[in-house]
Amino acid sequence: MRVVVIGAGVIGLSTALCIHERYHSVLPSLDVKIYADCFTPLTTTDVAAGLWQPYLSDPSNPQEVHWNQQTFDYLLSHIHSPKAARMGLAPVSGYNLFHEAVPDPFWKDIVLGFRKLTPRELDMFPNYSYGWFSTNLILEGRTYLQWLTERLTERGVKFFQRKVESFEEVARGGADVIINCTGVWAGGLQPDPLLQPGRGQIIKVDAPWVKHFILTHDPDSGIYKSPYIIPGIQALTLGGIFQLGNWSEANSIQDHNTIWEGCCRLEPTLKDARIVAECTGCRPVRPHIRLERERLRFGSANTEVIHNYGHGGYGLTIHWGCALEAAALFGKVLEERKLLTMPPSHL
Amino acid sequence: MTSEWSQTLFPLCPMCVYVLKEGFYNVINSRPRGSRICTPPLRTAVKRPMDAARVAVVGAGVMGLSTALCISKLAPRCSVTVIADKFSPDTMSDVAAGILIPHTYPDTPVHKQKQWFRETFDHLFAVANSAEAGEAGVHLVSGWQIFRSIPTEEAPFWADVVLGFRKMTEAELRKFPEHASGQAFTTLKCEGSAYLPWLQKRVKESGGLMVTRRIEDLWELHPSFDIVVNCSGLGSRQLAGDSEIFPVRGQVLKVQAPWVKHFIRDGSGLTYVYPGTFNVTLGGCRQKGDWNLTPDAEMSRDILSRCCALEPSLQGAWDIQEKVGLRPSRAGVRLQTELLARDGRRLPVVHHYGHGGGGFCMHWGTALEATRLLSECVQTLRTPASKSKL
């Protein structure tokens, strides 16, 4: 059973790991390969600040609520482990700020210690009159991808640097199942009018005294268009850019100024912080995630494709739940082909 | 040399050799300890308004420097000189993690402790939210105080001074399987190694002077100074003849673990994890009457083990440095004026020491009170009736 995962961002690597963990012991012929045209540190995941937090509004697909929860629980179970830091994982508390009262989000009981902000806390943020405090998680993209790569390499999964032009070429190369984790570029393999780039730019600074995340929200601007500050393991990420339809991966001076001014207004202590990096990435935006099977026929053989893309700005937040779902879909493929000798062990 | 000497307020000893470096007069080649060290020279020049009260603050830890700053800002027409044998980074304050979680002083009324804590919290909160926060080493930090059993009191006296104080949820407590209850809140951390230099800078900007010198007897400061503020911590055993002050030895590890963003404090206060700007402080111990400043390897192993039990990710910490500090402990903070008298000479002394492990928590509140006491002394000095007595 030859599986090819296309894409080496968080979705590709975590799906590959999840499938291998669940099925390699019950399917001796399982052979997983990863094809990607770029790997860490050049993927979209590497640009992400890595804060676990879904969007504020309920997802259009209620399954996504479940996948978010599964991801949080999975990550939380690793917090106590000495290897958490090597995964890029740590608890982080912080503030969500609003100009007016808003309903509680669907994820309020998933994160820890969710509560409203007290008046004295709001005094710290003069432009905002309402907010939440919660303990979330940080999962730094770059570190997590390196960790996933190590786990996959240990398991004998091989990586290949190549630009895939079509599902057909991969199928004709011998793949039985293709996992499509191509993110914002999925349209290149199969047109998808629902998928669009949501360009984001971030500045990384050295400000180790900032221990909290601060996310601001402006209903008129929309998600990620309002300044945000997210501490990482080493550096602090400043952001606030979301441009639908913009494919440019170059840093823009105008966006730099928008981010810098917005974040310094929010957190005056940043005045003298040293800038260490600046990057741009295109979030794979879609009204809901495409996570489903598709059977394609090339020549005389059927090739199963499992699509897993379109995670917008919440890929790290939802990745493990999606990986579990993709692995379940893979399991169905195996059942249909009568390849499973015994039920897969659930880790 | 002459012009520099004429600007000092301190009786520089003709036997000692001084080097002026970055605003500090450092003594080199001074006479051996134990001998009557320095005799005042025949002249001391004053470059200040005629009626400025000349204040000497003894001690350059968090108490000495914060008091010096309060005096410069609040006490009318005073000149301030901070005199200490040790400045940052060699003070006890440099070892402390500086987290604002108060201890309790049995001999001080609770309302007073709360007032001091609130004043300190408000002062540091303003710094933490300003552009100076990075330089001053002051920042907010959230975390958990956890108890193995359910504590008797619902909430400590300082619960409404810190931010967002509440009981931990069941889900949060799952992180600490050996503990039955806990409190979550946001407080401040004030790091000596950054805060002390920042205070020094501000004292100097206000015209204050810093002098490196070991004082063996407060009378050395007479007659060059009108009032002494004694912030010498454990040094008060000698300088104030106070046998009620004793060391409580604390050992800590300062480690690199930048992924730790929350503080964790075991309810007894013996074991703690305090993340700061430059490192994470792991502690600790409380050894009464122990003056030993050398780190103990077995204690370090014990501290690391206790902290890893609370936060297993600390097993990945690197660059572990051992530090020892002696908490200047006393049943209550000594904040009082004493009028020293000898051979017809008088020297008012404002005592401001004895904060034990609660120094950073209370420093601004007690410094303000010490400044009030000092202002009263200045007032007394200036009234003609008292002048005639001198």
Side-chain angles (χ1 to χ4, degrees), chain B residues 227-243:
Chain B
I227 307 171
V228 172
V229 182
N230 172 27
C231 302
S232 61
L234 282 169
S236 293
R237 269 183 90 92
Q238 177 184 337
L239 288 178
D242 185 350
S243 56

Side-chain angles (χ1 to χ4, degrees), chain A residues 1 22-23 26-27 30 177 293 295 304 306 324-346:
Chain A
M1 162 55 60
R22 298 189 149 240
Y23 295 106
V26 299
L27 190 61
L30 180 65
V177 176
R293 282 171 60 180
R295 188 173 297 174
E304 287 286 343
I306 298 175
L324 290 170
E325 175 68 18
L329 293 175
F330 180 71
K332 291 227 177 62
V333 172
L334 297 182
E335 276 173 30
E336 285 163 16
R337 296 192 184 188
K338 302 202 172 20
L339 289 170
L340 282 179
T341 52
M342 58 178 131
S345 59
H346 286 269

